[in-house]
Amino acid sequence: MSQILIQGLLLSGLYALIAIGFTMIFSVGRVLNLAYGAYLMLGGYAYFHVVQVMGMPKLIGMLAAITIGMVAGLLKHRLIVKPLKSDPVAVEIATLILAVVIQAGIVLVFNDSAKIMHPIVNGVWRIGGATVTLNILTATIASWVILIGLYLFVRKTHVGRAISAVSMDVKGAAISGINPDRINMITWAISGALGAIAGVFFASYTQLSPSMWVAPLIIAVAVVIVGGIGSILGTLIVAHIIGFMEIISTTLIAAELRGVFTMLLIIVVLVLMPKGLFGRGEL
């Protein structure tokens, strides 16, 4: 039981980091960015190439991943989202196609074989009867630091409050002198950076592969659907629900069921509570 509790808490923190960037885009831009998983894939591969291929320090690898994620987010907004902003369905289809194109590009550059990323931090830590790798512990601590920092940024800074205002009412924010297009660009850049950071941690927890973008995308979509048009708090709560579901199902039932109960949860919530557990929320 202690193993399940501790692993559930650790995995949930990582899932919250994976989902928060996706939640921001959905809350502010009102579109499902179905290429969000590609941010994680690009971040993971950028870190892998800089650190394990080029032999650079891990900090440089992390900065490279963040930069790639931000650039990807900005380009996606400028070249795809902005021209199609009047048609959310077209945006979703275009971003999904883009994810497949990026996957093909990764295969061309790195081939289609899975790669093992070295742990960001080596070693294990024993807590009671549970064994925890320092790698996932570091990822979870970093996730919480980033999420708390993001929360303070949204609540305490002018730009953060502008993001919150746009997520509540675009027209009202524009009347108040806020430029929604600029705020959307900032949000897409932040989302790309958060996705890339999450990708580095996720790849160190699992492995690198051209298809690694699918599982995080399912997690992010599940958080948005189950939590509603989420707030940061809602994202944290739903991420913990999904994290514990996965740990319990894989530990007590079968490892092959990873992700199955998450998809079933999506179906149940769509049928019974279309607005999600927390309904309409703002950042």
Side-chain angles (χ1 to χ4, degrees):
M1 184 58 68
S2 61
Q3 184 79 24
I4 292 174
L5 179 61
I6 292 171
Q7 291 291 344
L9 286 171
L10 295 177
L11 185 61
S12 297
L14 178 57
Y15 280 4
L17 180 61
I18 289 173
I20 192 65
F22 186 85
T23 303
M24 287 185 69
I25 292 299
F26 191 49
S27 184
V28 175
R30 300 297 191 274
V31 294
L32 289 173
N33 175 21
L34 298 183
Y36 180 73
Y39 294 155
L40 283 85
M41 180 170 58
L42 288 171
Y45 273 95
Y47 179 91
F48 173 83
H49 182 74
V50 170
V51 175
Q52 292 183 217
V53 176
M54 299 177 63
M56 301 289 285
K58 294 177 180 178
L59 178 59
I60 301 298
M62 187 64 76
L63 291 175
I66 292 171
T67 301
I68 290 290
M70 291 182 67
V71 171
L74 288 170
L75 289 177
K76 193 183 300 180
H77 176 266
R78 179 60 63 182
L79 301 179
I80 296 177
V81 178
K82 190 175 180 180
L84 298 174
K85 64 181 180 180
S86 61
D87 190 348
V89 175
V91 172
E92 291 158 16
I93 294 172
T95 54
L96 181 60
I97 293 172
L98 178 62
V100 176
V101 170
I102 293 174
Q103 178 180 344
I106 291 292
V107 171
L108 286 175
V109 175
F110 294 97
N111 68 56
D112 60 352
S113 62
K115 294 174 173 56
I116 302 299
M117 183 183 289
H118 298 160
I120 298 174
V121 178
N122 294 304
V124 296
W125 187 24
R126 300 190 183 280
I127 308 175
T131 300
V132 177
T133 64
L134 292 181
N135 188 60
I136 185 63
L137 180 61
T138 302
T140 304
I141 293 173
S143 298
W144 277 102
V145 169
I146 292 168
L147 290 169
I148 292 171
L150 179 64
Y151 180 83
L152 294 175
F153 169 76
V154 170
R155 298 298 179 189
K156 302 297 184 181
T157 68
H158 176 72
V159 174
R161 288 192 291 268
I163 291 174
S164 183
V166 172
S167 75
M168 289 186 280
D169 185 348
V170 176
K171 291 182 180 179
I175 292 173
S176 301
I178 297 171
N179 184 340
D181 184 58
R182 175 174 173 269
I183 295 303
N184 267 287
M185 286 192 64
I186 292 172
T187 304
W188 279 82
I190 293 173
S191 175
L194 291 172
I197 295 170
V200 175
F201 291 133
F202 185 73
S204 70
Y205 176 68
T206 55
Q207 63 181 10
L208 274 175
S209 73
S211 62
M212 66 171 284
W213 63 275
V214 178
L217 178 62
I218 292 174
I219 294 166
V221 170
V223 168
V224 167
I225 291 175
V226 175
I229 303 178
S231 64
I232 293 177
L233 179 60
T235 296
L236 289 173
I237 293 172
V238 177
H240 279 74
I241 293 173
I242 293 173
F244 275 100
M245 282 177 55
E246 287 211 0
I247 289 296
I248 291 170
S249 62
T250 55
T251 303
L252 301 182
I253 305 176
E256 291 77 13
L257 293 179
R258 178 181 294 274
V260 172
F261 288 100
T262 300
M263 289 184 281
L264 289 175
L265 179 63
I266 294 174
I267 296 172
V268 171
V269 170
L270 283 174
V271 172
L272 301 179
M273 304 177 67
K275 292 185 177 181
L277 297 178
F278 300 96
R280 174 68 173 93
E282 293 82 30
L283 284 173

